[in-house]
Every structure is written in structure tokens, then in C-alpha cells.
Amino acid sequence: MAFGIGVGLRRILVLAQAEVLHVLRDKATLAQVIVMPLLQLVVLANAATFTIRDSPVYIVDQDRSSVSRGLVTRLGASGFFRIIGESSNQQSAESELLYGRATMILTIPHDFESDLVRGGSAPIQLQLNGEKGSAAGLVQGYASRILSDYADELTSSLRPVRTGGAADQPVAGRPHFQIETRAWYNQSLDYRQYMVPGILVALVTMIGTLLSAQNIAREKEIGTLEQLNVTPITKGQFITAKLLPYWLLGLLDLGLGLIVGKLVFHLPVVGSVFLLVAAAGVYLLVALGIGLWVSTIVETQQQAMFVTFFILMVYLLMSGLFTPIESMPHWVQLASLFNPVRHFVTISRGILIKGAGVKEIAVPMLILAGYAVVVLSLAVRQYSKRTA
């Protein structure tokens, strides 16, 4: 009995050793088991955070007093905000909000300091970019806390008085700010209004990348790819025929998603749907190019699924879809500039929520067009090299 158990155990160990050797010799599997999880840990631990630093804020200071300058200094020195501009023109500030370069506008009205001195309180306005949803709520909380702390500091330097009668009378209590908060483009800060446009991007990305990568990998796995390569059809014609259905399917899914978003989630479609479809058409070229490239470096559908899952996980979490990009470390924010998903999320939210036009989305559109040319060229070249 013991002899039989020992033989069985020895056979198991031999087979397990053979499997370990197989994994060690297969570089693709080894990378999926060791390298990819480590990269995901490093990237995602930095991307999935809700602590916002250096949030861009535009200052409209119409008072130009020592107290207003002190308030601006406190914001800039807090580490939570980065002053990107300052003027007395409200329209310039609102333009920064529309283009997405500012998350908040701080407006300090005329007679701000004198109102504090005379009455002990003064109004101040915060205008938040509601397009960024969760980031807007965090930014509002940071700003309110800084304003409250600054009002406490003014207690010792300002002595509010109320004029009238024979002599000015001191005002009881400490100075405080009457904060008026407005959320632009998403006044209720409803999370569905900024999540649904981003989820539409995720759906289009999965259609364009995952399915296209698996489709060509399946041709390689069952052996029909070699048969097609000896037919009169050119590689360009083959690639176009393989990718075109997924390009159309991605646009179809986008249209269905918009209908569901409007009917079920009451998504405000403020901008042009045709402009969004045109942007999606360009973006799908990038997604399909990535799927084609994945298919050239793998041999099976399973490998294609693992590699694509890794790419999509990093892309989606570094796109600003789930967590604000402003909350990520500076090096991650720079790396996210090379993420096409981030740019299409910006376009989708800009068109659907803000009503952005061609001028407002020109920069991310040009970036996506450049990505499409580069990615498709590299993928086609790599595919031709592998099948030559």
C-alpha cells in the first residue's frame, strides 16, 4: 500500500516538474504569470487613489486686496491646488473650465476685504467642473477647508466693525466666508452623468481590442491563417476584411449604448452625436491596431485574452474613468498622456456633458489620429513580418 502511494506521488512530482519546465521555457506564459502581475501592482496602486494633488484652479480676483492675495497664496501653498491663471475677467476663467484645463474657478468679488472688516463676512464663489464628478466633490471639500482655516487666521489680524451711530462697534465672532458653490455641466454631481460616457468608451475599447485580437489568433490556432496567406488575397485586404466588421460593430455598440444611456440613465446628450461618432471612428482605428498588434505576438486565443486583459486594465484605470487623473502621482499623469483611452474619455464627456465642439476637442482628436497612424502601421508591419 505504501509502495503504491510512493509511486503515485513520484509520478505526480515528475509531471509537475515537467509542467514547471514548460512554463519556464514558454516566455509568453512566464511573462503572464510573473511580469504582468508585478506591473499591474506598480501601476494600479498609483492609479487607483482618491487623494487629489495639484488640481488646476483659475483665480478671478476682482478685489486685489491683501486679504484676497493671502487667500490665493493659501490655495497655492496647500499642495491640493495649482494656480494655472489669474485675471479679473470671468469669461477667460469660464473658457478654461470649458476646455477642461481647470477643475475649479475661485471668484473673489469687489469689496471682499472691506466686507470682512465692516460686517465680519464676505461672499466668495466656487465654480466646479461637474464633468469630472468625484474629483469635483473632493476639490470642493479641500477648498472649503482651506477657506475655513484662512478665516480662522484672519481673526487675529482683522477686527470686524459695524459702522453707524456715534462710534464704530466691534462685530462679535470671527470673520467667515459665505461660500456659493456651482457645479457646471453636471449641477447635481450625479455620478451616472460622468460615468456613463466613460463606460461607453470602455465598451468600444473591448470590442475593438479584445475581439479583434482573438479573431486573428483563432485563425492562427486552427491553421487557416497559413492557408489564407497562399491565396491571391493580399495581406492588406485580409487585415481590412478582418478588422472592418469590428469597426462597424464598435460604432453600433456606441449607438446602442447612447440610446440606453438616454432612456435608462437620462444621460444629457448636449453636444453633437455625429461628432462623437466621428471621434469614435478614429478611436476604433487605434483600438483595432492594438488588437492586431497583440495577435502578432501571441499564438493562441488564451494568450490573446490574457495580454489584452492586462492592457485594458492598465488603460482603463489610467484613463480617469474610475479615479481622477489629478489624484495620481505626477509620473502616472505624464504616462497617461500616452493612453488613447484617456483622450477618448475626455472627448466623450466633453461632447455629451459639456456640449464641446470641434474646436474644444481638436487636441485630443489630433492625438488619437496620430496614434491611429502609428499603431496601425506598426501592427501591420509586425503582422507582415510574422507571416512572411
Side-chain angles (χ1 to χ4, degrees), residues 352-364:
L352 295 176
I353 299 177
K354 299 165 70 173
V358 176
K359 184 178 179 181
E360 287 77 23
I361 66 169
V363 173

Side-chain angles (χ1 to χ4, degrees), residues 26-47:
D26 189 347
K27 295 181 180 179
T29 303
L30 194 62
Q32 292 170 10
V33 172
I34 298 178
V35 179
M36 288 186 180
L38 292 178
L39 288 176
Q40 285 181 337
L41 177 62
V42 172
V43 175
L44 304 186
N46 286 283

Side-chain angles (χ1 to χ4, degrees), residues 204-219 239 242-247 249 284-296 304 308:
V204 171
T205 303
M206 287 188 287
I207 291 294
T209 304
L210 181 59
L211 294 185
S212 62
Q214 285 191 308
N215 179 270
I216 298 178
R218 182 173 64 250
E219 296 283 359
I239 291 173
K242 279 292 183 182
L243 299 185
L244 182 59
Y246 296 106
W247 187 82
L249 185 60
L284 274 169
L285 295 178
V286 182
L288 291 170
I290 295 173
L292 177 61
W293 176 77
V294 169
S295 70
T296 65
T308 307

Side-chain angles (χ1 to χ4, degrees), residues 4-17:
I5 295 176
V7 172
L9 181 61
R10 197 159 41 244
R11 289 173 180 173
I12 292 174
L13 292 177
V14 170
L15 291 175
Q17 182 182 11

